[in-house]
Amino acid sequence: QALRQTGSAFKPFIYAAALDLGMSPYDLIDDVETCWTVRGSGDWCPQNYDREFKGPVTMTQALAESRNIPAVVLSEQMGREIVRNVATDFGIESDLAAGPALALGVSESTLIEMTGAFAGILNGGTSVQPYGITSLRLLEESEPLAGRTGGIGERVIRTQTARELTYMMHEVIQKGTGQRAQIDGIEIAGKTGTTNDSVDAWYIGYIPQLLTGVYVGFDKPRRMGRSETGSRAAAPIWIDFMKNAVTNLPTEQFKQPPVITTVKIHKSGRQACIC
């Protein structure tokens, strides 16, 4: 029930909007020092977590490394309203920030909302409303006290978009901030989230058959530690649970989008040479 800032766990909704509008996982975004003017507050100049700027990076690399500047650039380029609509349509019902900081997860949500929203990506782009029971009735009574109120909702993004985004979040696990969440022989996609001063730590990840969300933080929000992140604090809990959960599940692989191939990219200026 607690509303907490989502941090970088919000970023997949930005990339979902971009992919659905025709961008590619290999399109380049500038990761350079940038300031945005915020009405009433002056210039806002966010930093990346590592305090570095890498210049042109692919969308896949930007998400894998959870780079902040590309996320804001992309959100501003797509339009905040489009990003908000994607997040809302996937089930984020909380009020979302109106300024450029929307991209960095300054808005609040609950763990059940976030987990349900990611489930829509796993579900091929169709929203999923979480529910706890299918039916509850008194013994010998025919009318249920409570019935199923959730399930499959409306389509939010294209199926190919969802597959491309899953590929990108698979790279988060293979090469990026989610490397601690690997399980040998299991394909995993997911996203970490950390807020300022290590107050909130998130990890939401999935395999083809199952999605699980983990939040770590205090009942009354306060700093957990100098270096507690979604990768350090939340991902190990996810791993402990999922290693047991997958024991009796058959091994499956994600359905790769047809446009995704393994290539070497040589960047020269703003051009990408795929060769």
Side-chain angles (χ1 to χ4, degrees):
Q1 295 174 324
L3 287 166
R4 299 297 170 86
Q5 287 188 331
T6 58
S8 293
F10 184 82
K11 288 175 182 173
F13 305 122
I14 302 168
Y15 289 90
L19 292 169
D20 216 45
L21 289 174
M23 293 191 71
S24 159
Y26 294 127
D27 280 349
L28 295 175
I29 311 172
D30 281 334
D31 180 24
V32 296
E33 188 171 8
T34 310
C35 295
W36 286 266
T37 300
V38 179
R39 184 178 299 177
S41 301
D43 286 345
W44 176 64
C45 307
Q47 296 286 323
N48 290 313
Y49 184 80
D50 59 8
R51 302 288 175 176
E52 296 179 359
F53 302 101
K54 292 193 172 181
V57 295
T58 65
M59 293 215 308
T60 299
Q61 180 183 352
L63 182 61
E65 297 178 1
S66 200
R67 309 201 70 74
N68 289 335
I69 305 302
V72 182
V73 168
L74 197 57
S75 177
E76 295 296 290
Q77 181 179 332
M78 294 301 106
R80 296 172 215 154
E81 191 61 30
I82 292 176
V83 173
R84 280 195 293 268
N85 287 342
V86 169
T88 300
D89 289 347
F90 269 130
I92 305 299
E93 298 179 354
S94 312
D95 290 336
L96 296 173
L102 165 74
L104 303 188
V106 299
S107 306
E108 296 178 326
S109 184
T110 65
L111 180 58
I112 192 70
E113 274 187 359
M114 288 293 288
T115 306
F118 272 64
I121 300 169
L122 171 59
N123 197 46
T126 301
S127 64
V128 175
Q129 183 181 355
Y131 63 93
I133 58 173
T134 57
S135 173
L136 176 65
R137 69 183 74 238
L138 295 173
L139 186 64
E140 298 180 354
E141 291 288 337
S142 59
E143 292 298 319
L145 294 174
R148 172 174 169 167
T149 58
I152 305 301
E154 300 295 325
R155 176 161 295 282
V156 180
I157 57 176
R158 295 174 295 128
T159 300
Q160 176 160 323
T161 297
R163 291 179 181 175
E164 289 174 344
L165 187 54
T166 291
Y167 161 78
M168 291 170 66
M169 287 198 282
H170 177 64
E171 292 297 287
V172 172
I173 310 304
Q174 294 298 110
K175 302 176 182 178
T177 59
Q179 292 182 65
R180 291 174 183 265
Q182 295 183 8
I183 301 176
D184 289 343
I186 303 292
E187 280 204 345
I188 299 168
K191 186 68 188 77
T192 56
T194 308
T195 59
N196 287 343
D197 297 323
S198 297
V199 173
D200 310 282
W202 301 75
Y203 180 73
I204 303 174
Y206 55 93
I207 62 174
Q209 310 100 307
L210 179 66
L211 182 144
T212 303
V214 175
Y215 170 86
V216 178
F218 289 105
D219 288 346
K220 293 183 178 180
R222 61 185 175 89
R223 189 173 187 173
M224 289 184 288
R226 182 171 297 178
S227 59
E228 291 297 353
T229 63
S231 177
R232 284 176 55 88
I237 299 172
W238 188 92
I239 284 288
D240 286 347
F241 172 78
M242 290 294 281
K243 278 185 175 179
N244 288 285
V246 303
T247 301
N248 296 317
L249 292 178
T251 300
E252 293 187 17
Q253 294 184 332
F254 293 120
K255 295 180 179 179
Q256 294 293 334
V259 298
I260 298 297
T261 55
T262 301
V263 295
K264 291 183 178 180
I265 296 182
H266 302 283
K267 290 177 289 188
S268 175
R270 294 183 57 89
Q271 301 300 314
C273 170
I274 302 178
C275 47

